[in-house]
Amino acid sequence: MSILDIVKVGKEVLRERTKEVTDFKDPSLQRIIDDMIPAMYEHDGIGLAANQVDISLRIAVLVPDPHKVEEYKKTATLYYQGQPSFDEILGRILK
C-alpha cells in the first residue's frame, strides 16, 4: 500500500460533483478507504475526502475523538491551519 498523493487547488476533481456511492459491498470501496487513511495521517489530518486524493467518489474518512470535545471547549486556542489541497492558504480555526 502506498500513500495516496493529495491533489492541489486547480485540479478539476476538486471542483466537480463527486459520484454517489451506491454499492457498499464493492471490495474496491474498502481498498480506497484503506488507502485514504494513511494519506490523511501523513498530512496530519483529521479528515480527508476522496476527491482530495483524485478519486471522484462521495467518500470521506474522519477520525473523531469524542474524548477531546470537552477539553477543546475549555482550552480552545485560535490557530492558523491549512488544507493539503491548498498550499500556502491558511484559515483561522479554534483548536
Side-chain angles (χ1 to χ4, degrees):
M1 170 176 50
S2 63
I3 303 287
L4 298 171
D5 291 327
I6 304 291
V7 298
K8 302 299 179 191
V9 66
K11 184 88 173 181
E12 185 65 28
V13 72
L14 295 174
R15 288 192 298 266
E16 66 189 21
R17 184 174 176 86
T18 54
K19 296 174 189 76
E20 184 176 352
V21 175
T22 56
D23 182 4
F24 293 96
K25 293 183 180 183
D26 182 349
S28 66
L29 182 62
Q30 187 61 53
R31 282 193 297 277
I32 291 168
I33 292 168
D34 290 344
D35 288 345
M36 288 173 62
I37 292 170
M40 177 186 61
Y41 284 128
E42 177 73 19
H43 294 279
D44 297 321
I46 59 168
L48 184 69
N51 65 339
Q52 291 177 283
V53 290
D54 207 16
I55 299 170
S56 188
L57 288 175
R58 212 166 297 161
I59 302 171
V61 293
L62 303 170
V63 182
D65 189 346
H67 302 291
K68 292 186 177 182
V69 172
E70 287 304 314
E71 196 60 36
Y72 284 155
K73 289 179 183 177
K74 296 176 191 171
T75 62
T77 304
L78 184 62
Y79 287 92
Y80 286 91
Q81 182 170 322
Q83 199 270 352
S85 295
F86 298 92
D87 286 338
E88 301 177 20
I89 298 175
L90 301 175
R92 293 174 8 154
I93 62 163
L94 283 176
K95 274 192 171 182

